[in-house]
Amino acid sequence: MSFSSTKILKGSIILVVIDILIIWLWAATSDLGPGSAMVIFIVIPFAFICNLLIGLVIFFTKRIYSYFFFINCIVASVITYWIFSLEMKNQYKGHFENWSFNLQDTTFRITKWNKSNEFSLSYKQDIGSSTSFLDGKCEQKNDTLLLTSDSIRMYIHDNKLYNFRKSKKPITIKIDK
C-alpha cells in the first residue's frame, strides 16, 4: 500500500494537530510556576519516547503508518518545547508582581507573591546579586496595597510607596514587567 502526497500531508497535519492539543492540555493542567524550568528536560524526552514506542508498535502491525510516528518524534519534541516554554512564561507571570525604585546608589525591589499574599523587599547596590531584608503580608484594599511586617507598615497607591523608612514623602515606583 502506498500513500499519495495528499494523504501524507493530511496524515501529517492531523498528527501535528493531535500533538498540539494533547501537549497544550498537558502543559495547561501542569503547575509550571517559578522553579519549574527543569520540567522541560523531562517532558521533551517523554514526548520523544512516546512517539518512538507508538511507532515501534505500529511498525509490527501497520508498517506504513509507523514512519509518521518516527518523524513525529522530532516534531512532537519541538512542539513540546515550544508549548511548555510559553505556558511556563504565562503561569510564571501570574505568581508575583514586582515594583522597583532607586534611592541614591541602591535599587530596591518589592515583590508581591500572589498565591500567598506575602511580599519581600530586597535591595541591590551592584550588578548581580540582591539581598532580601524585609518580608511580610500584603492586603489589597480598593486601589491601595498595604504592606505590613513586624517593624513597618507601608502602602502602595497610584504607583507611589508611602512610609518607606518612615519617610513623609512618597517614593515613585515603577512596575517591573
Side-chain angles (χ1 to χ4, degrees):
M1 178 179 190
S2 66
F3 284 114
S4 68
S5 59
T6 55
K7 282 187 179 182
I8 291 172
L9 184 62
K10 283 181 185 177
S12 300
I13 290 172
I14 289 170
L15 201 53
V16 167
V17 168
I18 290 170
D19 280 341
I20 290 172
L21 290 174
I22 290 172
I23 294 166
W24 176 79
L25 204 79
W26 183 16
T29 57
S30 300
D31 185 19
L32 302 172
S36 63
M38 292 302 292
V39 169
I40 288 181
F41 293 109
I42 296 168
V43 297
I44 291 173
F46 183 78
F48 185 87
I49 291 169
C50 281
N51 277 282
L52 189 64
L53 291 174
I54 292 169
L56 284 173
V57 168
I58 292 176
F59 183 77
F60 294 110
T61 56
K62 299 265 186 186
R63 184 170 290 198
I64 198 125
Y65 295 114
S66 66
Y67 299 110
F68 285 118
F69 286 96
F70 292 137
I71 293 169
N72 198 50
C73 289
I74 295 168
V75 173
S77 299
V78 170
I79 291 170
T80 301
Y81 173 78
W82 177 65
I83 289 176
F84 268 81
S85 295
L86 287 175
E87 190 62 31
M88 270 193 286
K89 287 177 189 171
N90 288 339
Q91 288 185 22
Y92 189 67
K93 286 179 187 174
H95 284 270
F96 63 89
E97 297 173 56
N98 278 324
W99 298 270
S100 63
F101 59 96
N102 294 315
L103 289 178
Q104 297 164 359
D105 63 342
T106 305
T107 301
F108 292 89
R109 173 169 284 159
I110 302 168
T111 303
K112 176 188 175 240
W113 305 100
N114 292 331
K115 285 192 173 186
S116 61
N117 285 330
E118 295 178 347
F119 80 94
S120 65
L121 186 56
S122 61
Y123 70 91
K124 170 171 73 167
Q125 290 179 315
D126 298 319
I127 296 173
S129 66
S130 64
T131 303
S132 180
F133 67 94
L134 183 66
D135 295 309
K137 297 284 183 192
C138 55
E139 181 182 355
Q140 188 75 43
K141 296 252 182 175
N142 298 323
D143 58 350
T144 302
L145 181 64
L146 303 173
L147 307 169
T148 57
S149 73
D150 296 343
S151 60
I152 196 164
R153 183 180 166 96
M154 303 179 291
Y155 61 96
I156 297 174
H157 179 75
D158 287 335
N159 292 328
K160 290 191 168 88
L161 176 65
Y162 293 85
N163 204 29
F164 178 71
R165 294 184 175 164
K166 303 199 189 231
S167 172
K168 302 287 184 205
K169 211 166 105 177
I171 300 167
T172 302
I173 58 175
K174 65 177 183 174
I175 299 172
D176 294 338
K177 303 274 179 186

